Amino acid sequence: MMQGNDSRRYVVIGGGLAGLASAVWLAEAGKQVTLLERRARLGGRTQAMRVGEVDDLADNGQHVVASGYSNLFRYLKSVGTDHYLHYPHCGTLRWPGGRAVIMHTKGLRALPTLMGAHPDASPGERLRAARATMRLGWQALFQPADLADLSTDQWLRRVGMPAKAREALWDWLALGIAAEPVERGSAKVFADVMATGLRGGMKKRRGSTIGYPTVDLDTLYITGAQRVFEERGVDVRHRAVARRILLEDGRVKGVLLADGSEIAADAVVCAVPNSSVRGLLDDLPEHAEIYAAADKLGHTPIVSTNLYLDRPLSTKAAMEAIIGGRGVIDEVFDRQRMHLRPPNGTWLYCLTTSGAYEQIHRSNDEIIAEQMDLIRRYYPEAVEAKLVHAHVVKMPRATFSQVVGTAGLRPEQRTSVPGLVLAGDWTRTDWSATMESAAQSAAKAVDLLLELPPKY
Ligand SMILES: Cc1cc2nc3c(=O)[nH]c(=O)nc-3n(C[C@H](O)[C@H](O)[C@H](O)COP(=O)(O)OP(=O)(O)OC[C@H]3O[C@@H](n4cnc5c(N)ncnc54)[C@H](O)[C@@H]3O)c2cc1C
C-alpha cells in the first residue's frame, strides 16, 4: 500500500478525532502508520458508552454538527459514515411551564430565527434585533481592533442586541460555540466562528445550519476508521502512553513510551489535548512557548445526563433549548427522534450543560435530582414520570477554555522541526473547540507531512 518509495515511518499520538483523521488520511496517502492511544479504546472525547442497567448505548455527551464542518465530513466520507448525519428543519425553544416555540433552522424560514425572533418580541424589538444582527455579522467579518478584549456579553451589548433576541438565540448559540457563559466567553472566538460560517455560506450560497448524528458516536467515528486501518495495515496500539517525542539534529527519531520502550519514527503527528501535551515536546526548541499556551488555554467543564424515563416527553423537535434554566442554558436531546430509538420500556433524554462550573463539583445524585427538577419545570409529563435509570458523564476537561484573553494563543500545526506537527482541537484553526477544529487541524497537519521533500 506504500506510495512511491516512501519508506518513512509515521507515528500518530492520540486516538481522538484529530489522531483518527490524521491516521486515516496518512494511510489513504499510502503511508506506513502507527497510531498510539493511551487508553484501551479509540475515540477520545467522542465515544459511546454502554449503559448496562437499561441495555443501551449512550454517548459521553450529545455532539451536534454545523453544516460548515467540511473537514469532519471529509473524515466521515473516508470512513464511510457520512450518511449518518441529519439536518432537521427546526429546533425548539422551551420555557418553564411547557411553552414551546419552533424555530426553523433551514432555508428562508430560518431568517426570523437568525434575527433572534422571540415569540413575544414587538415589531420595534424585531427591527432592533435585525439591525443588531447585521452589525454583528459585519463586525464578525471586519473585526474591530478591541474585539479580543471583549466578552461576548459586552459585544452583544455594544451592537445593541435586544434582551429578547439574546434569550431566543444569541446567548445560547454563543454558549454552544465557546462552551462558556457569555460573560466569560471571548467575543473574538464567537466572531471568528461566525465569520467562518458566513464566508462558507457565501461561498456555497447556502445558510449554515445545525445537525446531529443518527447513530452512536462509536458507529459514527470509530467502526469505519477501524475498517480503514485494517485494510491499509495501520498498526493501532492501545494503552500506549507516549512520554516524549525524540528529536536528533532537527529530525524526528522516535517516540519514547511510558513503559520505557521506543518506537522508531521519521514523522510524528502529536494529536493530544492541551492538557496532555506537557513533556511530549521537551526536545522541541519552542516547547516552553507551546506549554505556556496550553496551560493558559486551560479547560472548561461539560456535564451530560442521560435520563431514562418510563414515558415520553412531549418534545416538538429532536433538539430543544431550555431557556432560563439556572442562568446557564441547557439543551434537551430526544434520542427517540434522533436515532429512531425504539423505547423498549424507557425513553432516553440527554441533557447537556456547557460551562458547568458549579455542576461539575456536585455528586451524581445531586445532578440527577437537579436535572429531573429541571425537566419537571419544562415538560408537564415529566411531573408524573418515573426515572428508570440515570447516567451522568462529568467531563471536567471537556474542551479548552475560550474565555477573554485566549484568542491568539493557539499554536500552529507547523513546528520548527518539519517532521513534527501538532494536531488537536486546541491548535490553530478557524473553528472553536469542536470536532471540526480537530478534523481541520488533522487536515493541516497531514498536508504539512505530505509536503515533506523525499530526502528529508
Ligand atoms: C461532552 C462534550 C460535548 C461536546 N459537544 C460538541 C458538539 O456538540 N460539537 C462539536 O463540534 N464538538 C463538541 N465537543 C468537542 C469535541 O468532542 C472535541 O473538540 C473533539 O472531540 C476533540 O478531539 P481531539 O482529537 O482534538 O482530542 P481528544 O478527543 O481528546 O483526543 C485525544 C486523544 O489523545 C489521547 N492521549 C492523550 N495523551 C496521550 C499520550 N501521552 N499518549 C497516547 N495517547 C494520548 C487521549 O486518550 C485521547 O484519546 C464536545 C466535547 C464534549 C466532551
Side-chain angles (χ1 to χ4, degrees):
M1 283 293 181
M2 296 263 298
Q3 196 184 51
N5 55 2
D6 184 359
S7 59
R8 277 192 282 249
R9 295 150 302 181
Y10 293 78
V11 172
V12 177
I13 305 175
L17 266 180
L20 287 171
S22 302
V24 164
W25 290 330
L26 283 168
E28 271 181 357
K31 306 301 178 190
Q32 181 189 320
V33 185
T34 301
L35 173 62
L36 306 177
E37 167 52 49
R38 78 169 169 197
R39 293 162 66 196
R41 48 164 302 142
L42 299 172
R45 277 171 276 163
T46 45
Q47 55 162 286
M49 297 176 139
R50 178 137 294 283
V51 187
E53 292 84 347
V54 281
D55 190 21
D56 196 41
L57 202 57
D59 289 329
N60 69 318
Q62 183 58 53
H63 281 68
V64 296
V65 292
S67 54
Y69 279 13
S70 52
N71 294 277
L72 190 76
F73 303 147
R74 178 185 157 203
Y75 170 75
L76 294 178
K77 257 196 168 15
S78 291
V79 302
T81 54
D82 51 319
H83 57 286
Y84 286 136
L85 293 183
H86 176 65
Y87 292 90
H89 287 274
C90 59
T92 311
L93 296 181
R94 188 171 281 272
W95 281 265
R99 182 182 184 205
V101 173
I102 293 282
M103 47 169 202
H104 292 274
T105 51
K106 251 180 165 175
L108 278 181
R109 295 175 84 185
L111 269 182
T113 305
L114 187 67
M115 294 297 177
H118 190 288
D120 301 337
S122 66
E125 281 169 324
R126 281 173 197 238
L127 193 66
R128 279 197 290 128
R131 271 202 217 116
T133 302
M134 308 286 262
R135 259 180 241 135
L136 210 60
W138 183 262
Q139 292 188 15
L141 290 171
F142 307 99
Q143 298 186 1
D146 63 347
L147 209 57
D149 304 323
L150 299 185
S151 68
T152 313
D153 177 56
Q154 287 168 324
W155 188 33
L156 288 168
R157 283 172 196 274
R158 183 191 273 186
V159 297
M161 190 63 76
K164 287 196 180 114
R166 289 185 56 166
E167 184 178 272
L169 179 71
W170 293 104
D171 280 20
W172 67 260
L173 188 64
L175 175 64
I177 285 174
E180 291 285 357
V182 286
E183 295 76 22
R184 293 170 52 93
S186 159
K188 174 142 180 63
V189 168
F190 187 40
D192 285 347
V193 173
M194 266 184 84
T196 304
L198 285 169
R199 286 197 192 99
M202 286 189 267
K203 213 162 112 192
K204 293 192 177 142
R205 294 172 186 275
R206 218 177 31 207
S208 296
T209 185
I210 295 176
Y212 52 79
T214 55
V215 289
D216 65 274
L217 293 175
D218 281 6
T219 306
L220 188 68
Y221 293 123
I222 302 169
T223 317
Q226 280 167 331
R227 190 180 34 75
V228 173
F229 295 157
E230 226 163 86
E231 284 168 9
R232 305 252 176 194
V234 174
D235 177 11
V236 181
R237 304 199 191 173
H238 296 102
R239 295 196 196 286
V241 184
R243 274 279 177 265
R244 187 172 181 142
I245 298 162
L246 304 170
L247 305 179
E248 202 172 75
D249 301 329
R251 287 164 170 275
V252 172
K253 186 174 146 248
V255 177
L256 174 67
L257 299 188
D259 64 7
S261 63
E262 262 182 55
I263 296 183
D266 304 291
V268 167
V269 181
C270 179
V272 303
N274 59 319
S275 52
S276 307
V277 76
R278 192 167 275 280
L280 282 170
L281 305 177
D282 282 4
D283 288 2
L284 191 68
E286 66 269 34
H287 70 269
E289 208 180 305
I290 297 174
Y291 293 164
D295 288 347
K296 277 196 199 139
L297 285 167
H299 40 79
T300 175
I302 297 182
V303 171
S304 297
T305 315
N306 294 312
L307 298 176
Y308 291 89
L309 304 181
D310 69 343
R311 67 196 70 191
L313 301 180
S314 58
T315 54
K316 290 190 184 298
M319 305 186 276
E320 302 213 327
I322 296 296
I323 307 295
R326 286 175 307 266
V328 274
I329 299 166
D330 304 67
E331 285 164 315
V332 173
F333 296 94
D334 182 335
R335 289 287 270 228
Q336 290 61 234
R337 286 180 184 271
M338 296 173 121
H339 291 200
L340 301 180
R341 176 186 180 272
N344 291 336
T346 58
W347 280 259
L348 170 57
Y349 298 92
C350 309
L351 277 71
T352 301
T353 309
S354 300
Y357 288 101
E358 287 176 21
Q359 241 188 357
I360 199 81
H361 299 295
R362 303 206 176 113
S363 70
N364 285 2
D365 285 347
E366 284 170 329
I367 292 170
I368 294 164
E370 191 180 59
Q371 297 298 56
M372 280 304 291
D373 179 50
L374 183 87
I375 60 164
R376 283 190 186 115
R377 281 191 287 131
Y378 284 79
Y379 297 90
E381 315 73 41
V383 176
E384 299 290 321
K386 237 180 71 202
L387 179 66
V388 180
H389 184 66
H391 173 245
V392 176
V393 187
K394 289 184 190 168
M395 309 254 339
R397 292 165 193 263
T399 66
F400 63 91
S401 174
Q402 295 155 113
V403 295
V404 181
T406 52
L409 287 175
R410 294 164 70 184
E412 296 280 352
Q413 287 73 34
R414 187 193 295 275
T415 71
S416 61
V417 171
L420 169 54
V421 291
L422 306 182
D425 62 352
W426 66 288
T427 60
R428 190 165 305 173
T429 68
D430 54 17
W431 281 90
S432 55
T434 52
M435 298 178 289
E436 170 60 12
S437 182
Q440 190 185 112
S441 73
K444 290 182 171 191
V446 167
D447 280 353
L448 287 169
L449 292 187
L450 296 182
E451 281 163 12
L452 284 177
K455 286 278 178 220
Y456 163 76

